[in-house]
Amino acid sequence: MKTLLSTPKKDGYRMPGEFEYHDGCWMIWPERTDNWRNGAKPAQHAFVDVAKAISEFEPVTMCVNQHQYVNARHMLPDYVRVVEMATNDAWMRDVGPTFVVHDGTGDIRGVDWAFNAWGGLIDGLYFPWDEDDRVAEKICDLEGKDRYRLNNFVLEGGSIHVDGEGTVITTEECLLSSGRNPSLSKQEIEETLKEYLGAEKVIWLKRGIYLDETNGHVDNICNFVRPGEVVLAWTDDESDPQYEISKECYEILTNEFDAKGRKLTVHKLYLPSPILITKEESEGVDTVDGTLPRVEGDRLAASYANYYTANGGVVIPQFNDPSDEKALALFSELYPERKVVGVYAREILLGGGNIHCITQQQPLAIPAIKPLELVGAR
Ligand code: KQY
């Protein structure tokens, strides 16, 4: 694996949309008891459910710390590849490489952003994070992909979404937060995104989901269904602080043009009713200085926008809420060519994220084949 000094844009690479065809999906096994309750056992079962659901559509690799290898290998089905890898926690979207593709040659490279646990010593969620910061490099090495490394630019994969055709969506709450790149202006951050994602246009939402501990990652509030079309987490309850946030996003998205000059179609994706941490759930988490505590009654950042788009399928978080069915129905309409699969995800939510946050797709290295031709061929 080479570390390249150029940029993806200069080299003719772009980040593909998640709805494009994948070679596979990467995940990390959860285990830390100061984030995952009851010795991380319920979370491990939830991660197994997600891995099985995605495996119906594409190969899944689970990275596991050394002392959990035997347990993970035992709990996961044999069709999931298990790889020993040191990590601090289990958020592959945020710590894994952002893969970029070259449409002419089909070559794939990784972008390896600096990772500081969502805010470093300012408002990061745990310390240390050094093993997590090495994950992207290790995956590029295992996969034989060259990488671009940004030592001085902090970014997590969940803070960006792209349409694969030049448009990036992100939030100011996250990318302009004081714990990430405080010495850079908004313009400089935007230029870096364009350069390393091979993009031309950045759409800035103001804020993400209410009380999202990532400083409002975009992947919890909005996602591209396909170029020109997004889902946006939504509530009609004007007394909910989320209402103003979603309304503000809606105004921005419906008044913006994407990189190709298209108006965006915005689908409202209704949120579940507020989900609060129970006493039992709170008591199951170890207290450790430097890790965000899980307090009884705290509201969790639940949203169906945090789903994974797989080859021929979409895997949607479920919360045992009446909105679950509505979400599945909307996704069935929006993705008629894919199978819609719900996975109960409260245990992942309790750790601070959801299905999108724990998965990172690796694009397929075949040039000139359109995703739908491949989906149809399966
Ligand atoms: O991307 C995410 N939503 C990850 C959240 C990290 C939570 C750590 N406790």
Side-chain angles (χ1 to χ4, degrees):
M1 180 204 67
K2 288 200 288 285
T3 298
L4 306 158
L5 299 175
S6 180
T7 72
K9 191 172 213 172
K10 289 193 179 72
D11 296 340
Y13 288 71
R14 68 174 176 100
M15 179 181 173
E18 191 173 310
F19 41 80
E20 295 184 46
Y21 205 77
H22 307 168
D23 218 8
C25 172
W26 290 83
M27 297 177 65
I28 303 173
W29 190 245
E31 63 165 277
R32 55 185 299 159
T33 55
D34 58 349
N35 193 54
W36 305 103
R37 74 185 179 117
N38 299 355
K41 204 49 64 192
Q44 290 175 356
H45 285 289
F47 276 54
V48 169
D49 292 344
V50 172
K52 282 182 178 170
I54 295 175
S55 294
E56 186 183 341
F57 308 107
E58 58 197 52
V60 173
T61 302
M62 186 73 73
C63 300
V64 189
N65 275 305
Q66 177 266 325
H67 56 272
Q68 274 285 319
Y69 178 85
V70 174
N71 179 45
R73 184 60 287 171
H74 172 75
M75 287 179 68
L76 287 158
D78 55 9
Y79 50 79
V80 172
R81 176 170 70 157
V82 181
V83 174
E84 197 176 297
M85 188 178 293
T87 64
N88 300 107
D89 201 0
W91 307 100
M92 186 56 98
R93 173 71 47 180
D94 292 342
V95 303
T98 299
F99 287 107
V100 289
V101 298
H102 190 289
D103 290 317
T105 64
D107 188 41
I108 290 184
R109 292 176 174 170
V111 180
D112 178 2
W113 319 93
F115 177 78
N116 72 356
W118 307 273
L121 299 180
I122 306 285
D123 61 349
L125 300 177
Y126 50 73
F127 178 90
W129 52 79
D130 55 327
E131 299 292 6
D132 278 350
D133 193 30
R134 282 187 208 111
V135 167
E137 177 178 11
K138 290 177 185 175
I139 290 179
C140 288
D141 215 352
L142 281 173
E143 289 294 315
K145 311 289 183 214
D146 293 337
R147 69 159 186 162
Y148 302 91
R149 166 68 183 177
L150 295 89
N151 281 320
N152 297 314
F153 188 82
V154 174
L155 184 130
E156 307 96 40
S159 69
I160 47 167
H161 264 312
V162 298
D163 67 356
E165 297 189 355
T167 315
V168 184
I169 304 185
T170 189
T171 67
E172 292 184 0
E173 179 187 354
C174 181
L175 288 205
L176 306 187
S177 66
S178 53
R180 290 189 173 71
N181 301 294
S183 62
L184 299 181
S185 67
K186 182 175 175 184
Q187 192 55 38
E188 288 168 323
I189 291 171
E190 180 163 325
E191 287 312 315
T192 307
L193 292 181
K194 290 178 183 166
E195 209 49 50
Y196 283 85
L197 301 174
E200 279 87 46
K201 165 105 190 213
V202 179
I203 297 177
W204 290 90
L205 303 179
K206 299 272 182 231
R207 294 172 285 173
I209 289 288
Y210 179 58
L211 297 182
D212 188 325
E213 63 197 60
T214 62
N215 309 98
H217 269 188
V218 73
D219 73 343
N220 212 17
I221 194 161
C222 178
N223 192 6
F224 279 105
V225 175
R226 55 185 63 81
E229 213 172 323
V230 298
V231 285
L232 173 67
W234 188 261
T235 177
D236 287 333
D237 179 358
E238 296 187 19
S239 67
D240 185 333
Q242 182 60 44
Y243 179 80
E244 283 305 323
I245 300 174
S246 290
K247 194 161 151 262
E248 189 176 55
C249 291
Y250 189 83
E251 295 300 322
I252 293 170
L253 290 166
T254 50
N255 284 298
E256 270 287 5
F257 293 90
D258 67 13
K260 298 270 186 234
R262 288 174 292 230
K263 274 268 192 200
L264 294 171
T265 302
V266 183
H267 301 280
K268 292 177 178 172
L269 176 57
Y270 281 84
L271 289 156
S273 309
I275 298 179
L276 312 183
I277 302 178
T278 65
K279 182 169 190 290
E280 188 193 351
E281 287 167 345
S282 163
E283 287 174 354
V285 180
D286 290 351
T287 300
V288 168
D289 283 342
T291 301
L292 188 78
R294 301 283 169 212
V295 179
E296 180 189 355
D298 277 0
R299 176 168 167 174
L300 295 160
S303 161
Y304 302 102
N306 211 298
Y307 64 97
Y308 184 77
T309 312
N311 299 335
V314 276
V315 181
I316 318 291
Q318 300 282 275
F319 307 107
N320 266 349
D321 183 276
S323 292
D324 285 3
E325 284 302 318
K326 256 176 143 166
L328 294 180
L330 178 65
F331 283 113
S332 298
E333 261 175 51
L334 296 179
Y335 292 98
E337 73 288 10
R338 296 179 202 249
K339 182 173 168 187
V340 175
V341 180
V343 174
Y344 184 62
R346 184 179 178 105
E347 294 298 335
I348 309 173
L349 182 63
L350 284 167
N354 224 304
I355 291 174
H356 194 259
C357 312
I358 63 169
T359 51
Q360 177 66 299
Q361 76 277 2
Q362 182 174 332
L364 186 70
I366 300 180
I369 294 186
K370 292 192 181 68
L372 283 183
E373 287 170 10
L374 278 161
V375 170
R378 278 178 74 84

